[in-house]
Amino acid sequence: MTVTFLRPAMLMALLALLAQLPAAAISISPVVVIPPCPAAVVDASLAQLEKLMSEDPDARPYCYPEAIEKHGAQAVPMLLRLLQHGRHQVRIGAASGIAGLGAAAAPALPTLIAHHRRLIAELARQEAAQGGDGADQETRFLMQHVSRAIGGLQTVDASAAPYLESVFFDPHSTLDVRRASAAHVWGRDTPEHIRLRMTPVLLADETTFPDMRTELASFLSFATIDTTVILPQLRASLLMPRGHEMVRPYLVVQGAVAGIPHVLQLYADAAEGSAMRREIESQLREREALPEMDWQLSAAAHKPALLPTVVGLMMKTDIHSRRTMDYLATRLDIPSEVDGTLRIFISLRRPAPQAHPRMVALLLASGNDDLARRDLLLKALSATDGQATIPQPFLLAGLQHDLALNRRTKPGSGGRGTCLPGAVLAQSAPLPPAYLPMLQRAYADTAATYAPDCVRAVGDIIANSGSRSAVEFLYEQLFSKRYEELRRMLMQPLKNNVGLLLPRIGREIDGLHGERRDVVEALLRGPQASEFLAQYRARVVPGLLTLPWTETVDQDRAGLDETQAASDTPACARLAQVVKRVDTLGLTTPEVTTWLMRVYAGPCVLAHIRARKALAALREDEYGKRPMRVRQVDALLANTPPGLTRERLEQLRRLFDWTGYERRMNEMVPENLIEEN
């Protein structure tokens, strides 16, 4: 595949040619072929070039700009003559050629302006005679090219931009003339005072000048002159359909002190998920560090109508306003505002140390009589990093209250304690060992009544104690006749503390079988057991890979399709259990992965499914090893005859062959047969 980078002048000429074609004549082709420019055109003399452009303007017009550039300023007289040619395509090529010369075309400016005036007058005459849609398309298109040529001379002639500005403001200019003037006067070198004079008109009518919004926003955001004179129009433009595009320039021109309050009101009025809201969130996030942001958010939060807006904005953007948090703390002194303020703290999840003393006072005053208020306060303290300020005796008393309530309440009857004090207690400093017997009894009682929140809370408190006897107590609960959900709750705290269990596990593990062994092996994936797990895997896994029933994987299933695969036999069921163990132990050596591939390709249904899941996880977790996995599959394919086994191996190869996937995707993209000059 060869790629060409067209020169700007050539690209503009090509786009100009396409723009003249009717929409129906332009079709999307899967292959774009642009033949190279012939030397007879590129190296032509001025006389030859004038003859070519005048007699055959449609023959590779994208080549003419390159030829014109070679002659530079010497080509200007020839181009000006062609600008008066009788054929439209010749005039367009001449105007485009002048525009492509840039500063070298400076001598042409007076002639260009005179020609531009004649085109403007002709367009006005046509519209007056035939209405707004009666202007000749060829005249309109030529006017746009001449406007571009004049606009490109702003850097070398100070009269170019003022002329286009005068055309823009001329009441007799047609809409097309004004659009072309606006587009081509706004080059990066246009004097800022000229752009500023045009800005109010462009801001006021986004429908007429839709393509100018980006240029306007950039200019107003980075202008070096005073732009505050256009603030009324800029503020009004924020209410237009594309008003979000002006949020950034508005904040720059207006300044943060006055701009942020107005933008916050716009945010409150805008629809959820709208472009305006997203843009305001982005712009305010960029200004989070400004002192004005903290002040203005706090000032808005003091207004009841804007408080939800401020809270929503802080949640969406993660902006932190210390003064707003201080204000929210004062609302806790108003009884009617307490619950609402607590919910705000819970939603924001920001540190609020200034609110903690008042929250704790309210918590101790409410006690356990009002569970809803108590739990709301506990959640708010946790959300604002205030758990450590809650007296531990209060949390312990709250836990005991909820446990007693759960014991007295029948399942499903409502009114059960939430055990939230226990959940908070689990995050605080460990309880003294003297409380362990009470907690063990509490765990047994709550597990028997099936109160999941309380079971989780008490289990976490016990695990948090750091005591071997406490962790071993939870370890035994894994194998008691409990609900499966309760057993799952214990896995993570036990994994986090598995180091305390390793002496016992080391004594017992070789004698474990069935479910107990599976659970213990899963616990060994905890961070404290990495060394123990490595030794255990080295001792156990090689034997798993050579168990007799794995030979069923190598049986030739030639001729069978997926629907005719053998149903699982007792040997297949045992193989599925082995796959589960291998996956749980997490060893990913080449020997293990090759074995999994063989199981994947074999006839045992459940083992195939488990191997597929394990291999898919390897594909994502070990991205860099994919080429090695492909080679492993190829080695298996080399000795596998046609049939179900081979089909599955080929599927597996596609799973790991990322390079092949990229190649297949690239083959779907058509080549651009364009050569670079």
Side-chain angles (χ1 to χ4, degrees), residues 593 597 600 611-612 614-623 625-633 649-661 664:
T593 52
M597 290 172 181
Y600 175 94
R612 179 178 61 193
L615 291 168
L618 282 179
R619 176 184 181 272
E620 301 305 320
D621 296 341
E622 300 184 349
Y623 184 93
K625 294 184 178 180
R626 289 180 180 180
M628 181 181 72
R629 308 297 186 212
V630 172
R631 290 194 296 271
Q632 289 177 260
V633 180
L649 285 174
E650 289 171 348
Q651 293 172 1
L652 190 59
R653 191 187 195 286
R654 289 193 292 271
L655 177 72
F656 285 106
D657 186 14
W658 188 251
T659 303
Y661 170 80
R664 290 191 298 274

Side-chain angles (χ1 to χ4, degrees), residues 311-331:
V311 172
L313 177 67
M314 291 175 65
M315 290 175 61
K316 281 286 190 67
T317 61
D318 289 331
I319 291 175
H320 180 66
S321 170
R322 181 182 60 81
R323 287 183 172 82
T324 300
M325 301 301 287
D326 290 344
Y327 164 68
L328 291 173
T330 65
R331 286 167 55 93

Side-chain angles (χ1 to χ4, degrees), residues 37 69 76 86 158 222 278 296-297 346 478 539 554 566 610:
C37 294
E69 285 181 11
V76 172
F222 300 103
R278 292 195 300 272
Q296 298 299 348
L297 284 177
I346 294 168
L478 278 176
R539 189 173 75 251
D554 298 319
R610 288 180 174 173

Side-chain angles (χ1 to χ4, degrees), residues 21 29 57 61 95 112 150 187 194 214 241 253 261-262 280 285 312 352 381 419 424 457 556 649:
L21 298 176
S29 172
L112 287 174
I150 295 172
I194 291 180
T214 302
V253 176
H262 185 64
I280 291 175
R285 190 184 294 114
L381 281 161
C419 286
V424 177
D556 181 19
L649 285 174

Side-chain angles (χ1 to χ4, degrees), residues 16 32 52 74 100 119 154 230 244 287 290 317 333 363 414 482 500 511 556 593 597 634:
V32 178
L52 285 169
Q74 294 178 352
L119 291 171
Q154 295 179 75
I230 53 88
H244 62 280
R287 293 164 173 78
L290 294 177
T317 61
D333 295 324
L363 182 64
R482 303 297 188 192
L500 297 172
D556 181 19
T593 52
M597 290 172 181
D634 286 341

Side-chain angles (χ1 to χ4, degrees), residues 78-409:
M78 177 268 290
L79 292 172
L80 290 177
R81 287 194 299 273
L82 293 180
L83 197 60
Q84 308 295 327
H85 198 278
R87 295 176 65 183
H88 170 67
Q89 285 298 98
V90 177
R91 296 194 298 272
I92 290 294
S96 180
I98 294 172
L101 286 174
L109 183 59
T111 304
L112 287 174
I113 290 177
H115 194 66
H116 194 250
R117 292 185 186 279
R118 288 194 293 274
L119 291 171
I120 291 174
E122 176 60 20
L123 286 171
R125 185 192 64 76
Q126 291 176 6
E127 288 200 2
Q130 304 178 41
D133 297 328
D136 178 67
Q137 291 296 325
E138 293 185 350
T139 306
R140 179 181 297 162
F141 196 65
L142 181 59
M143 177 274 300
Q144 292 171 354
H145 273 270
V146 175
S147 297
R148 183 168 71 88
I150 295 172
L153 294 174
Q154 295 179 75
T155 57
V156 293
D157 194 317
S159 65
Y163 167 72
L164 290 175
E165 180 195 18
S166 68
V167 171
F168 177 81
F169 284 109
D170 188 342
H172 299 101
S173 294
T174 65
L175 178 58
D176 286 322
V177 170
R178 298 185 70 219
R179 282 175 173 167
S181 300
H184 297 302
V185 77
W186 274 66
R188 62 183 179 180
D189 297 305
T190 305
E192 288 186 329
H193 67 276
I194 291 180
R195 282 184 276 177
L196 184 61
R197 286 198 295 263
M198 297 173 67
T199 296
V201 178
L202 298 174
L203 280 173
D205 193 349
E206 68 175 13
T207 303
T208 303
F209 305 101
D211 298 332
M212 296 301 299
R213 307 297 285 179
T214 302
E215 287 80 358
L216 283 168
S218 177
F219 165 62
L220 293 173
S221 298
F222 300 103
T224 59
I225 62 174
D226 182 13
T227 55
T228 55
V229 293
I230 53 88
L231 267 173
Q233 295 87 355
L234 181 55
R235 192 178 294 111
S237 73
L238 294 170
L239 301 177
M240 294 180 178
R242 294 173 60 181
H244 62 280
E245 297 175 352
M246 292 296 122
V247 172
R248 177 186 178 89
Y250 171 74
L251 287 171
V252 171
V253 176
Q254 179 69 82
V257 174
I260 292 175
H262 185 64
V263 164
L264 285 174
Q265 186 60 59
L266 289 174
Y267 188 83
D269 296 338
E272 182 70 29
S274 63
M276 176 61 80
R277 281 209 163 190
R278 292 195 300 272
E279 182 62 21
I280 291 175
E281 289 164 3
S282 173
Q283 294 303 322
L284 294 187
R285 190 184 294 114
E286 289 182 10
R287 293 164 173 78
E288 179 182 7
L290 294 177
E292 294 87 350
M293 179 64 69
D294 195 10
W295 280 104
Q296 298 299 348
L297 284 177
S298 175
H302 278 72
K303 302 174 182 178
L306 285 180
L307 178 58
T309 298
V310 173
V311 172
L313 177 67
M314 291 175 65
M315 290 175 61
K316 281 286 190 67
T317 61
D318 289 331
I319 291 175
H320 180 66
S321 170
R322 181 182 60 81
R323 287 183 172 82
T324 300
M325 301 301 287
D326 290 344
Y327 164 68
L328 291 173
T330 65
R331 286 167 55 93
L332 296 174
D333 295 324
I334 307 172
S336 62
E337 302 292 346
V338 170
D339 287 359
T341 303
L342 293 175
R343 292 188 179 92
I344 291 175
F345 280 127
I346 294 168
S347 299
L348 289 176
R349 306 197 69 81
R350 304 284 201 287
Q354 65 280 14
H356 294 159
R358 183 56 179 155
M359 287 188 196
V360 172
L362 290 169
L363 182 64
L364 297 178
S366 64
N368 293 298
D369 296 332
D370 185 347
L371 289 182
R373 169 62 72 85
R374 182 204 69 179
D375 287 354
L376 197 60
L377 284 160
L378 288 174
K379 291 177 181 177
L381 281 161
S382 296
T384 57
D385 294 341
Q387 306 97 308
T389 64
I390 308 172
Q392 205 171 55
F394 175 86
L395 292 173
L396 188 58
L399 172 62
Q400 292 172 322
H401 172 273
D402 285 11
L403 293 175
L405 184 60
N406 275 286
R407 286 194 297 269
R408 296 194 302 269
T409 307

